[in-house]
Amino acid sequence: MLKLRLKRNGRKKQPSYRLVVMEHSTRRDGRPVDEVGYYNTITKQSYFDIPKINKWLERGVKPTKTVASLLNKNLNS
């Protein structure tokens, strides 16, 4: 089952995340099927490729709770 979830990047104590589509059984930093955005927790900077995300959601990809929350916050503001 494919999931829309966060993949950690960055240095120690300075995380940033990429929003990726990957198999649910893959490790957190494993190889993604597709990268669809990023989110920096320090600067609160984010970018989401909305057309790509919609394409994957139409194909049945489920977002995690954290990703769903991030998408709701960014789409509503």
Side-chain angles (χ1 to χ4, degrees), residues 13-73:
K13 305 225 187 244
Q14 293 184 342
S16 64
Y17 297 91
R18 292 195 184 271
L19 190 63
V20 296
V21 176
M22 55 179 16
E23 189 65 34
H24 80 281
S25 58
T26 313
R27 64 186 193 271
R28 180 192 67 191
D29 296 332
R31 185 177 201 162
V33 175
D34 194 10
E35 290 189 7
V36 294
Y38 66 83
Y39 174 65
N40 187 332
T41 57
I42 307 294
T43 63
K44 304 296 185 209
Q45 182 182 11
S46 62
Y47 167 75
F48 301 118
D49 190 349
I50 301 301
K52 259 188 181 182
I53 291 171
N54 285 334
K55 179 186 80 166
W56 282 108
L57 291 174
E58 287 171 3
R59 291 183 182 178
V61 172
K62 302 275 188 214
T64 61
K65 289 180 186 177
T66 306
V67 169
S69 173
L70 281 173
L71 290 174
N72 285 334
K73 284 180 188 175

